[in-house]
C-alpha cells in the first residue's frame, strides 16, 4: 500500500485510456519503456505491489513471488499464460488472469496473413524487390501455392482455432482439426471442421496452423517425426507459442525440401530466432505480433484492468475477476485479511 491506496505495477507501457480507470483506486506504477527484468528485479517489483499487470516476458514463478507478500493478483497481458506458474500462485494465494477472447479475431486474421504470405512467398518477393533485383519478371518466377480447394488443418481448436476455421469457408477449403477433446457437433458444423487424429491431420493437411497452448505435453508437438509425416508441399503456420515446434527440425525440413514453406510468429527462446530459419527464404517471419492491432491491444489492456479492479471489489465484475485462471487462489486469499495477505490495512 502507498498511502491509502494499493499499488498496481504495470510492467510495460500500455494504453493510458484503460490504465486511467485504475487511478481512482490504486497508485499506478507503470513502466515507461519496454524492459526485460532480471529475476531479482522482477521479484523486487512484485514485492512492492498489491497487483501486477505483466506481459509474456515476465516469468512469474515461485521465486518471483517468494517475497511478494502483498501481491493479490497477476493479470497477464496475453491469452497464453505459460509464463505464469499457476500452482506457485495458488500456493501463494495470488490470483491470476489472462485476456481470453478479445484477441481471437485479430489472431485468426494474422494466421491467415501468414498462411497466404508464406504460400505466395511474399517475404522473399519483397526482399527481392527492395534489393533492386526487379528488372523483369519471368512468367514462371515467384510461383506459389493456391489455397482454394486445399485442406486446412488446425492443431488446437479453441476459440482462435475456430475463428481460423470459419474464415476457411471464404477460401473454399475443407477443414480438418485435432484437439485434446472433440468439439460439440454444432460447433463442428458451424466451423465446417472434421475431427481427425493427429497422424491424419499431419498426413492430410496442405496448410497446417498451430494454435495450441504451450505446456510440458505440447513442447515439440511438431518435431522431426511429425514433420516427416507431412506432405512436402505443405505449409506450416505457428501463431501459438515457440517451443511447440522444434525450430531446428523445422529449418532442416524447409532447407531439404521436405516441407514447402512456413509462416512463423513465435519462436523457441524468442526474441532469439534460430539462425537456420533466418537463413531460409521459404519462411515468413514476424516478431510475435498476431494480436497486435490497436483495438485488440487496447482491449487486452482493458481486460487486465477489469480483472485487477474486480479482485479489489470495483467495477461491474466486483469480487469476480472475469478471466480468473486459478479460482483456487481466491480461497487462500479469502482466508487472509483484505486487501493484503499480511496485514489488515483498513
Ligand atoms: C497471447 O495473447 O498469448 C499472444 O501470444 C500475445 O500476443
Amino acid at each position: 500500500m502507498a498511502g491509502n491506496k494499493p499499488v498496481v505495477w504495470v510492467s510495460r507501457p500500455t494504453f493510458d485510456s484503460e490504465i486511467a480507470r485504475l487511478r481512482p483506486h490504486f497508485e499506478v506504477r507503470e513502466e515507461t519503456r519496454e524492459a526485460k527484468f532480471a529475476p531479482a528485479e522482477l521479484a523486487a517489483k512484485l514485492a512492492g505491489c498489491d497487483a501486477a499487470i505483466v506481459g509474456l516476458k515476465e516469468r512469474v514463478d515461485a521465486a518471483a513471488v517468494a517475497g511478494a507478500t502483498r501481491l493479490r493478483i497477476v493479470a497477464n497481458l496475453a491469452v497464453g499464460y505459460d509464463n505464469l506458474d499457476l500452482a506457485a500462485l495458488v500456493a501463494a494465494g495470488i490470483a491470476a488472469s489472462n485476456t481470453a477472447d478479445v484477441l481471437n479475431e485479430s489472431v485468426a486474421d494474422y494466421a491467415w496473413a501468414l498462411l497466404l504470405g508464406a504460400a505466395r512467398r511474399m517475404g522473399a518477393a519483397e526482399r527481392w524487390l527492395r534489393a533492386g533485383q526487379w528488372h523483369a519478371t519471368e512468367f514462371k518466377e515467384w510461383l506459389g501455392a493456391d489455397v482454394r480447394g486445399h485442406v486446412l488443418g488446425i492443431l488446437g481448436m479453441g476459440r482462435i482455432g475456430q475463428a481460423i476455421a470459419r474464415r476457411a469457408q471464404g477460401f473454399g477449403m475443407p477443414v480438418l482439426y485435432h484437439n485434446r477433446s472433440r468439439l460439440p457437433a454444432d460447433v463442428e458444423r458451424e466451423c465446417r471442421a472434421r475431427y481427425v487424429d493427429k497422424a491424419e491431420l499431419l498426413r492430410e493437411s496442405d496448410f497446417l496452423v498451430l494454435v495450441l497452448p504451450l505446456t510440458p505435453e505440447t513442447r515439440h508437438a511438431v518435431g522431426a517425426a511429425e514433420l516427416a509425416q507431412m506432405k512436402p508441399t505443405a505449409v506450416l503456420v505457428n501463431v501459438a507459442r515457440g517451443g511447440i515446434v522444434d525450430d531446428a527440425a523445422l529449418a532442416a525440413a524447409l532447407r531439404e525440401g521436405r516441407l514447402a514453406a512456413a509462416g512463423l510468429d513465435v519462436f523457441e527462446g524468442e526474441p532469439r530466432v534460430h539462425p537456420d530459419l533466418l537463413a531460409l527464404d521459404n519462411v515468413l517471419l514476424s516478431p510475435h505480433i498476431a494480436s497486435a492491432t490497436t483495438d485488440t491491444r487496447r482491449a487486452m489492456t482493458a481486460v487486465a484492468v477489469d480483472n485487477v479492479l474486480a479482485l479489489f471489489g470495483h467495477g461491474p465484475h466486483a469480487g469476480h475477476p472475469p478471466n480468473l485462471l486459478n479460482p483456487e487462489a481466491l480461497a487462500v486469499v479469502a482466508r487472509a485479511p483484505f486487501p493484503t495477505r499480511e496485514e489488515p490495512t483498513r
Side-chain angles (χ1 to χ4, degrees), residues 143-229:
L143 303 183
D146 280 319
V147 299
R148 187 157 204 89
H150 290 82
V151 174
L152 173 66
I154 301 176
L155 185 56
M157 196 62 156
R159 278 165 288 199
I160 297 173
Q162 292 166 36
I164 292 169
R166 283 196 301 274
R167 285 158 172 73
Q169 292 170 31
F171 290 101
M173 297 173 79
V175 180
L176 303 178
Y177 78 96
H178 182 71
N179 198 39
R180 253 178 323 185
S181 44
R182 190 171 169 174
L183 297 177
D186 58 326
V187 182
E188 282 190 350
R189 252 195 318 278
E190 195 230 329
C191 295
R192 298 201 205 163
R194 184 162 71 80
Y195 180 81
V196 292
D197 64 23
K198 188 175 167 190
E200 185 173 348
L201 187 78
L202 293 167
R203 213 171 45 239
E204 297 302 327
S205 296
D206 295 302
F207 298 89
L208 179 61
V209 183
L210 309 178
V211 212
L212 61 177
L214 177 64
T215 65
E217 294 73 39
T218 63
R219 182 167 293 281
H220 287 190
V222 178
E226 288 74 18
L227 291 163
Q229 296 173 61

Side-chain angles (χ1 to χ4, degrees), residues 207-261:
F207 298 89
L208 179 61
V209 183
L210 309 178
V211 212
L212 61 177
L214 177 64
T215 65
E217 294 73 39
T218 63
R219 182 167 293 281
H220 287 190
V222 178
E226 288 74 18
L227 291 163
Q229 296 173 61
M230 294 179 68
K231 299 178 184 182
T233 50
V235 174
L236 181 73
V237 173
N238 189 2
V239 287
R241 278 291 180 275
I244 291 171
V245 176
D246 176 341
D247 284 350
L250 174 62
L254 288 165
R255 193 174 46 241
E256 292 159 18
R258 290 183 279 112
L259 194 72

Side-chain angles (χ1 to χ4, degrees), residues 28-100:
V28 178
R29 293 185 192 155
E30 191 180 18
E31 298 297 328
T32 51
R33 57 190 177 82
E34 290 290 337
K36 170 92 179 133
F37 299 102
E41 283 175 312
L42 177 61
K45 297 277 185 191
L46 294 175
C49 64
D50 302 271
I53 295 179
V54 303
L56 295 175
K57 292 197 302 289
E58 281 78 54
R59 179 150 298 281
V60 185
D61 54 15
V65 298
T69 51
R70 297 158 40 181
L71 185 60
R72 298 190 61 216
I73 182 167
V74 174
N76 212 28
L77 274 171
V79 61
Y81 49 89
D82 45 288
N83 59 317
L84 306 182
D85 181 338
L86 289 190
L89 292 178
V90 169
I94 300 167
S97 64
N98 71 350
T99 59

Side-chain angles (χ1 to χ4, degrees), residues 232-315:
T233 50
V235 174
L236 181 73
V237 173
N238 189 2
V239 287
R241 278 291 180 275
I244 291 171
V245 176
D246 176 341
D247 284 350
L250 174 62
L254 288 165
R255 193 174 46 241
E256 292 159 18
R258 290 183 279 112
L259 194 72
L264 307 174
D265 187 46
V266 288
F267 306 88
E268 278 188 289
E270 65 187 44
R272 200 188 69 92
V273 177
H274 197 295
D276 291 358
L277 288 173
L278 291 171
L280 290 167
D281 244 2
N282 54 348
V283 54
L284 182 57
L285 308 166
S286 64
H288 202 150
I289 55 171
S291 68
T293 68
T294 306
D295 288 349
T296 292
R297 288 278 165 99
R298 181 181 288 116
M300 291 166 72
T301 310
V303 169
V305 165
D306 286 344
N307 280 280
V308 170
L309 287 171
L311 192 90
F312 281 79
H314 307 296

